[in-house]
Amino acid sequence: MPEAPASRPLRVAIIGAGPAGVYAADILTKSNEVKDGDVEVSIDLFDQYPAPYGLIRYGVAPDHPRIKGIVNALHKVLDRGDIRFIGNVTYGRDLTLKDFRGFYDAVIFATGALKDAPLEIPGVELEGSFGGADFVSWYDGHPDVPRDWPLTAKEVAVIGNGNVALDVARMLSKHADDLLVTEIPDNVYRALKASPVTDVHVFGRRGPAQVKFTPLELRELSHSRDVDIVLYPEDFEFDDASDEAIKTNNQVKTMVNTLANWIAEDQDTGASRRLHLHFLQSPVEIYDSPETPGKVAGIRFERMELDGTGNVRGTGTYEDYPVQAVYRAIGYRGSELAEIHFDERRGVIPNEGGRVLDEEGNPLVGIYTTGWIKRGPVGLIGHTKGDALETIGCLLEDRDSLPPAENPDEHAIIALLEERGIEYTTWAGWNELDAHERALGQAWAEQAADGQTGAEGERITRERVKVVPREDMVRISRKNVG
């Protein structure tokens, strides 16, 4: 008979080493039950990528100043040594659910949501129509996407009024040299440097008082050098619900005031690039032309109007915008996981409070979920802490009824990975890769043949250069293995 968890550390596997997974591990180790000695835990944090941090490394624009703070916080958690990181292990391929059940008393899925939500309009399949999530993965150096990106358009449309849409628009319009202070990979820098873009248009379906981005994201647009922000006074329509939101919601008030100030100040400085913000526009069709069949030549929108409740209705008026590329940034959705019931409509794992449910709606004993794959891709990164707190609370409530692992020895899972020839990575390996990327940044600055300087004449330094190919990441991370 397998040894009961009560007589040994509770073995927990967390699949996904992004913020959701790390927060869950941290909350479990700091729970009252653990601190009071009622339960001892042993946690392994798995990820399909060789490096940790998930969304922070592969889903957030590299020029966000707050990234460093989040990374530093996650680093402190994993650097304590009481949570074991095991990277470059893909669930459903390298290890199955049966494998995890054999080595762990509980399994938590924290795999996030990094796939584009679909936009079902004609022409979405044309060449030059892209998913915003795919573009984010490219500029963040995701190891499983192509190294090249076709940045050939002078005029670009970005569909969406959330933070991801603004990230995509800012990265497309920003001058590449101004991104050298970030960790962007060299292939991304070179491609952005050669981009001929002059105009990036961001389209939202509702009005300025209903946008989904945050004040910080909005203000960051004005920090881009040699990029004018273009607004259209006819878009600033407000209904009773909008007025109420402006009066009662400080975030809405701040964003509307920021936009209104930009109109009053007239942002036209003659910059070489322009970032246009459009509201009350609903996409109808992406179209090609006789001159460029099969390729994006423009996009058609229906003009919307507010209906008094903050929602919108169509006016029957249409407008075409000539663009050569369209980026869809209308939201993320999760991806289906092997052997786990999946809600295709919502793009999440069905659950109750973090307890994973089967097709009949019954809890799968010992299987949990947290983060965006649990509740959908809404809210800020910090909101996943609340998800993790709920999920960990359920796990601790269930601890006496969990099916005990057949082989709870901490070394057993490592022996299985080695037996299967899986080149797993570790926290020590991440520190090696981290040091290597920082050294690349220092070497780039030292070897810059042209003595490149920034907008104010200061010498450009690079904190790191992100390694992109998976095989290189694994090689560097495992150089001291064996």
Side-chain angles (χ1 to χ4, degrees):
M1 292 288 293
E3 186 180 10
S7 59
R8 57 167 172 78
L10 181 71
R11 291 282 285 143
V12 178
I14 301 176
I15 302 172
V22 176
Y23 290 151
D26 189 40
I27 288 170
L28 179 54
T29 61
K30 293 179 179 177
S31 64
N32 289 332
E33 290 83 349
V34 171
K35 288 192 297 185
D36 293 343
D38 295 337
V39 60
E40 185 180 356
V41 294
S42 169
I43 304 171
D44 287 342
L45 187 65
F46 290 85
D47 204 277
Q48 63 179 318
Y49 308 123
Y53 305 145
L55 175 69
I56 299 299
R57 185 170 170 93
Y58 296 123
V60 180
D63 59 343
H64 277 316
R66 68 174 184 271
I67 291 177
K68 288 184 180 179
I70 299 174
V71 168
N72 289 341
L74 299 180
H75 179 93
K76 288 179 181 178
V77 172
L78 295 180
D79 203 44
R80 293 195 312 245
D82 56 347
I83 300 165
R84 186 167 61 172
F85 171 71
I86 305 174
N88 202 40
V89 176
T90 299
Y91 169 77
R93 185 193 67 191
D94 301 327
L95 292 176
T96 66
L97 184 59
K98 181 180 179 181
D99 291 328
F100 279 103
R101 281 189 174 277
F103 293 97
Y104 299 92
D105 307 304
V107 181
I108 303 174
F109 287 95
T111 50
L114 283 179
K115 188 168 69 173
D116 280 294
L119 176 66
E120 297 179 357
I121 61 173
V124 74
E125 77 289 343
L126 291 173
E127 181 181 341
S129 172
F130 306 106
D134 293 335
F135 183 58
V136 172
S137 293
W138 173 76
Y139 68 59
D140 272 334
H142 193 294
D144 297 334
V145 302
R147 301 285 84 83
D148 300 321
W149 192 273
L151 291 169
T152 58
K154 289 186 176 181
E155 299 160 304
V156 179
V158 179
I159 304 173
N161 252 175
N163 287 341
V164 175
L166 292 193
D167 281 352
V168 168
R170 194 179 65 255
M171 290 294 292
L172 286 166
S173 61
K174 202 166 188 174
H175 289 277
D177 285 350
D178 295 333
L179 291 165
L180 282 172
V181 294
T182 75
E183 61 181 26
I184 63 167
D186 278 334
N187 65 297
V188 176
Y189 167 70
R190 290 192 299 269
L192 291 173
K193 179 78 171 175
S195 171
V197 68
T198 59
D199 292 83
V200 177
H201 299 262
V202 182
F203 296 93
R205 188 171 178 271
R206 297 202 289 173
Q210 288 81 39
V211 294
K212 298 298 184 183
F213 44 72
T214 58
L216 176 62
E217 297 279 350
L218 182 62
R219 287 194 297 267
E220 283 182 352
L221 296 183
S222 65
H223 298 161
S224 295
R225 176 183 60 86
D226 191 34
V227 179
D228 280 342
I229 298 174
V230 182
L231 296 163
Y232 299 86
E234 63 269 23
D235 289 349
F236 284 75
E237 176 184 318
F238 301 98
D239 60 1
D240 290 342
S242 300
D243 291 336
E244 181 66 18
I246 293 169
K247 291 178 183 177
T248 59
N249 188 308
N250 286 332
Q251 179 166 300
V252 173
K253 180 180 179 180
T254 297
M255 288 189 290
V256 170
N257 286 344
T258 297
L259 292 166
N261 289 337
W262 285 351
I263 291 180
E265 294 168 0
D266 186 5
Q267 298 290 306
D268 184 3
T269 67
S272 66
R273 295 179 176 179
R274 290 163 293 280
L275 200 163
H276 307 253
L277 299 180
H278 304 267
F279 303 97
L280 297 169
Q281 301 274 13
S282 182
V284 174
E285 178 187 8
I286 303 169
Y287 57 85
D288 57 4
S289 71
E291 294 77 21
T292 58
K295 297 181 179 180
V296 172
I299 183 168
R300 179 169 297 135
F301 288 88
E302 181 180 8
R303 182 72 182 181
M304 310 301 285
E305 63 181 8
L306 293 165
D307 66 1
T309 69
N311 292 313
V312 293
R313 60 192 170 214
T315 65
T317 302
Y318 299 88
E319 186 169 358
D320 291 353
Y321 291 85
V323 297
Q324 300 83 52
V326 175
Y327 289 78
R328 310 177 302 276
I330 59 173
Y332 286 150
R333 62 181 283 114
S335 299
E336 187 173 357
L337 295 162
E339 303 179 77
I340 298 295
H341 181 46
F342 191 69
D343 185 335
E344 285 287 351
R345 184 182 64 84
R346 297 179 56 219
V348 299
I349 297 174
N351 68 93
E352 287 184 355
R355 294 183 177 97
V356 172
L357 306 177
D358 63 17
E359 294 185 13
E360 285 73 41
N362 301 312
L364 288 173
V365 180
I367 308 297
Y368 304 86
T369 185
T370 189
W372 280 4
I373 196 65
K374 170 188 174 184
R375 62 180 169 88
V378 292
L380 300 177
I381 292 172
H383 293 163
T384 57
K385 290 183 179 179
D387 281 336
L389 190 62
E390 179 183 55
T391 296
I392 295 303
C394 291
L395 188 157
L396 288 170
E397 286 178 12
D398 301 342
R399 66 184 184 276
D400 292 334
S401 60
L402 295 175
E406 293 180 6
N407 191 348
D409 185 278
E410 292 183 355
H411 302 293
I413 188 67
I414 299 301
L416 178 64
L417 291 172
E418 292 176 346
E419 178 185 323
R420 292 180 177 177
I422 308 302
E423 293 187 305
Y424 65 90
T425 60
T426 64
W427 181 245
W430 160 247
N431 285 327
E432 291 283 355
L433 179 59
D434 180 45
H436 179 85
E437 291 183 342
R438 292 178 184 275
L440 289 177
Q442 182 177 351
W444 186 94
E446 293 173 351
Q447 297 171 9
D450 55 1
Q452 195 166 4
T453 58
E456 306 300 326
E458 75 280 8
R459 185 173 179 81
I460 293 176
T461 58
R462 298 183 74 175
E463 182 177 343
R464 72 165 68 231
V465 177
K466 189 180 287 183
V467 174
V468 178
R470 180 185 286 266
E471 58 271 21
D472 290 347
M473 296 174 67
V474 172
R475 174 181 53 81
I476 296 163
S477 299
R478 288 177 56 87
K479 70 179 184 179
N480 293 323
V481 174

